[in-house]
C-alpha cells in the first residue's frame, strides 16, 4: 500500500467517522427534543388537571329550603349531603328543624309569619356573602302573585346577586334586573296542589346556577 493510498484511506475513514458522529449528535438532539416535548406535554396535562381540580374546589353548593312548618323530611339528608351552607327562608315552625340542618352544614335562617318574626329570635331578613356573592334571605317577597312594595324596595336598596324567599310555597327562579329571585318551594307538609321542594344554588366560575328538587308528596 502506498503512502498516498494510506493517506486517502485515512481521510475517507476520518470523513466517515465525522459523519457518524454528526449523525449520532442529530439523533441525540432529536431524542432530547422528544423527551423535552414529552415533559412539556406531561406538565401541561398536570396543569390542566390542577386547574380543573381548582375550579371544582372553588365551586360552592348551597342548600336552600323554606316553609318547613315544623317538618323535617329525612330525604333532605340525601339531597343536602355535602353542601357548604344551608339557607332557610322562613316559616321554620320548630327549632328542631334547624338543629337537624345544622348537622349537615352551617345554617343561616330568617323568620316568617308562622314564626312570629323577631319573637322567634331570627331576623325577618338578612344579607350575607357566600362565594363572593351578595345573597339575601327574606320570607315574604311576593304576595298574591306580585312582588310586594316592601320587597321591591328591599331589592332596590340592597343591590343583590341573589334573593331567596318563601311564603308562597311556589317554586320560582326569575330575574329582577341583575338579581336572581329564588324560591325553593315548601319542604313542609303538602298544601293545596303545590309540589313540595328544596333548592340547590351552585356558585362556580362567577356563574350562579339554581336547581329545584321536587320532593314526594308524603314526607319520609
Amino acid at each position: 500500500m502506498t503512502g498516498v493510498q494510506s493517506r486517502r484511506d485515512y481521510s475517507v475513514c476520518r470523513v466517515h467517522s465525522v459523519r457518524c458522529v454528526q449523525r449520532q449528535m442529530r439523533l441525540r438532539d432529536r431524542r432530547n427534543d422528544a423527551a423535552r416535548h414529552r415533559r412539556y406535554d406531561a406538565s401541561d396535562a398536570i396543569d390542566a388537571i390542577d386547574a380543573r381540580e381548582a375550579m371544582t374546589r372553588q365551586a360552592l353548593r348551597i342548600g336552600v329550603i323554606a316553609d318547613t312548618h315544623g317538618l323535617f323530611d329525612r330525604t333532605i339528608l340525601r339531597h343536602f349531603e355535602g353542601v357548604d351552607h344551608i339557607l332557610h327562608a322562613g316559616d321554620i315552625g320548630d327549632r328542631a328543624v334547624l338543629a337537624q340542618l345544622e348537622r349537615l352544614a352551617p345554617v343561616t335562617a330568617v323568620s316568617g309569619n308562622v314564626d312570629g318574626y323577631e319573637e322567634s329570635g331570627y331576623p325577618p331578613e338578612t344579607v350575607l356573602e357566600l362565594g363572593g356573592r351578595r345573597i339575601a334571605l327574606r320570607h315574604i317577597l311576593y304576595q298574591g302573585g306580585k312582588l310586594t312594595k316592601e320587597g321591591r324596595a328591599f331589592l332596590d336598596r340592597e343591590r343583590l346577586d341573589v334573593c331567596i324567599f318563601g311564603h308562597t310555597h311556589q317554586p320560582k327562579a326569575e330575574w329582577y334586573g341583575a338579581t336572581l329571585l329564588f324560591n325553593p318551594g315548601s319542604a313542609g307538609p303538602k298544601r293545596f296542589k303545590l309540589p313540595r321542594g328544596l333548592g340547590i344554588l351552585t356558585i362556580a366560575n362567577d356563574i350562579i346556577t339554581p336547581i329545584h328538587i321536587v320532593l314526594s308528596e308524603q314526607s319520609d
Side-chain angles (χ1 to χ4, degrees):
M1 181 180 295
T2 65
V4 173
Q5 186 177 1
S6 298
R7 284 195 297 274
R8 187 182 299 118
D9 292 343
Y10 172 76
S11 298
V12 170
C13 291
R14 186 179 179 187
V15 169
H16 180 71
S17 298
V18 169
R19 287 176 178 170
C20 286
V21 171
Q22 289 174 339
R23 189 181 304 113
Q24 289 171 355
M25 291 177 65
R26 286 195 295 271
L27 288 172
R28 183 194 63 190
D29 290 342
R30 282 198 291 269
R31 284 195 296 267
N32 289 341
D33 287 343
R36 279 196 295 271
H37 285 311
R38 283 196 297 271
R39 287 198 296 271
Y40 293 152
D41 291 344
S43 177
D44 291 343
I46 291 171
D47 289 344
I49 291 170
D50 288 344
R52 286 195 295 270
E53 288 179 349
M55 286 190 292
T56 301
R57 287 194 298 270
Q58 292 168 3
L60 188 74
R61 292 181 70 247
I62 303 168
V64 183
I65 188 169
D67 296 283
T68 45
H69 292 264
L71 174 67
F72 183 81
D73 188 328
R74 295 194 62 79
T75 58
I76 294 169
L77 298 173
R78 173 165 51 88
H79 292 302
F80 281 1
E81 182 179 2
V83 298
D84 299 289
H85 205 101
I86 296 173
L87 303 176
H88 196 307
D91 274 6
I92 302 161
D94 191 324
R95 178 67 181 79
V97 172
L98 298 185
Q100 291 276 10
L101 294 174
E102 286 167 350
R103 296 171 61 186
L104 299 171
V107 176
T108 301
V110 294
S111 57
N113 50 292
V114 165
D115 306 313
Y117 293 115
E118 288 90 344
E119 294 178 8
S120 67
Y122 294 95
E125 61 188 41
T126 191
V127 178
L128 68 160
E129 185 172 305
L130 291 172
R133 297 292 185 160
R134 276 175 59 80
I135 300 176
L137 286 168
R138 178 186 172 92
H139 183 61
I140 299 178
L141 199 64
Y142 277 79
Q143 189 93 41
K146 296 181 179 180
L147 192 62
T148 66
K149 181 179 178 181
E150 295 79 9
R152 188 182 299 275
F154 175 74
L155 295 172
D156 292 340
R157 180 176 70 250
E158 296 295 341
R159 303 293 181 179
L160 306 161
D161 294 301
V162 183
C163 184
I164 294 168
F165 66 103
H167 189 59
T168 64
H169 292 212
Q170 295 176 315
K172 183 184 286 288
E174 66 180 27
W175 292 90
Y176 176 79
T179 303
L180 172 66
L181 308 182
F182 188 54
N183 186 333
S186 168
K190 183 174 175 60
R191 294 183 64 190
F192 315 118
K193 295 182 179 181
L194 298 172
R196 301 173 60 247
L198 301 167
I200 295 285
L201 276 182
T202 301
I203 303 174
N205 303 323
D206 295 327
I207 298 173
I208 303 171
T209 305
I211 300 171
H212 283 112
I213 299 170
V214 177
L215 299 176
S216 62
E217 291 191 1
Q218 298 298 322
S219 64
D220 288 349

